[in-house]
Amino acid sequence: MNEQNNDLFKKLGVDIGDGKINIDFKNPRDYTTDKHNRVDAAMIGGGAGMLMSPQPLMDTLKDIKSKSPNAHIVFMTPVAKRFTQNDAKRLANKEYIVLISGRYEGIDERVIELEVDEVFSIGDFILTGGELASMVVCDAISRNVSGVLGNNASLEVESFEDSLLEAPSFTKPNIYENKAIISEYLKGNHSKITDLKRGLALCKTKFFRPDLYKKV
């Protein structure tokens, strides 16, 4: 990674100094053969907006795969299955992941059919571009890479483990704005605290995510 990219990711809060993860990016515009340096075109069959044309993207991916044949290609699109914590954990074992960030009305479907290994959505809404979705997925994957978090035990009690949302957490002071910490948290009986947190996690999941609660 060049020094400019390194500084950029540091500003974004991505810790890459120890080499546990390495992030780089490619601009398909650098690969276009269009004399006007364009990477988009009108959609065949009509439709509002423009579509990313196949040539720049395909040549970008071919260049990447010529250097990293085992690269796992992922495209972010609302027309896909929902990205989950289990996906983040699974993809953290991949050596090289390429995240394609679409623009305009998306990308030519042939790129997906020919080169993409998986497609993901981060939710039922539309973004102006796929860059933010790619960053979300990148962050979720990265924190599951061994050694990236200061304490790997943090991964064991988070939301979506065992299909539950995480139980409420507190810190000092014990009373703040007339709101007190749940008294059982202060008594040091870790068995009871574990049971209490399980019950609270069930309650929170039932209230906020009844779809997940049904799986428990």
Side-chain angles (χ1 to χ4, degrees):
M1 179 178 297
N2 63 45
E3 212 46 51
Q4 184 178 4
N5 290 353
N6 198 1
D7 291 341
L8 171 62
F9 287 115
K10 282 181 179 178
K11 289 178 182 177
L12 293 173
V14 180
D15 183 9
I16 54 175
D18 56 7
K20 290 185 175 65
I21 58 173
N22 187 16
I23 303 173
D24 202 354
F25 56 87
K26 299 283 187 182
N27 186 350
R29 202 175 293 278
D30 295 334
Y31 294 82
T32 184
T33 58
D34 181 82
K35 64 180 181 180
H36 300 297
N37 207 34
R38 293 182 62 173
V39 295
D40 63 317
M43 290 184 281
I44 295 175
M50 306 293 281
L51 198 67
M52 292 187 75
S53 50
Q55 178 272 314
L57 279 172
M58 290 292 288
D59 285 359
T60 304
L61 294 172
K62 287 176 181 176
D63 181 36
I64 292 172
K65 293 184 80 172
S66 70
K67 299 164 186 171
S68 303
N70 295 324
H72 190 74
I73 314 290
V74 174
F75 175 53
M76 305 307 303
T77 169
V79 189
K81 64 181 180 180
R82 186 78 60 89
F83 180 77
T84 68
Q85 180 68 6
N86 283 336
D87 293 315
K89 292 163 71 174
R90 172 175 57 82
L91 291 172
N93 295 312
K94 299 286 185 183
E95 181 181 5
Y96 197 137
I97 299 171
V98 177
L99 295 167
I100 302 176
S101 305
R103 270 275 160 179
Y104 313 109
E105 294 299 314
I107 69 175
D108 190 295
E109 189 73 18
R110 290 167 292 185
V111 177
I112 300 173
E113 293 174 356
L114 291 169
E115 293 292 344
V116 173
D117 296 303
E118 291 189 80
V119 291
F120 286 117
S121 167
I122 63 167
D124 298 338
F125 50 87
I126 308 298
L127 298 170
T128 305
E131 295 85 357
L132 291 175
S134 291
M135 290 176 67
V136 166
V137 169
C138 180
D139 186 84
I141 294 171
S142 297
R143 65 195 309 280
N144 283 279
V145 173
S146 179
V148 168
L149 292 184
N151 184 356
N152 282 340
S154 299
L155 295 170
E156 298 173 6
V157 294
E158 292 182 320
S159 294
F160 308 113
E161 298 297 327
D162 300 324
S163 297
L164 290 176
L165 301 183
E166 188 174 350
S169 299
F170 305 92
T171 186
K172 294 180 179 179
N174 295 347
I175 300 176
Y176 181 75
E177 298 284 348
N178 293 321
K179 288 285 186 179
I181 292 173
I182 298 172
S183 60
E184 198 64 52
Y185 279 37
L186 302 171
K187 296 179 181 178
N189 188 324
H190 295 293
S191 176
K192 285 188 176 182
I193 292 173
T194 297
D195 289 342
L196 175 62
K197 285 190 172 184
R198 171 76 179 182
L200 292 171
L202 284 166
C203 290
K204 184 175 270 192
T205 305
K206 185 176 182 180
F207 185 82
F208 288 109
R209 292 292 303 273
D211 56 317
L212 292 177
Y213 183 78
K214 290 177 182 178
K215 298 178 182 179
V216 180

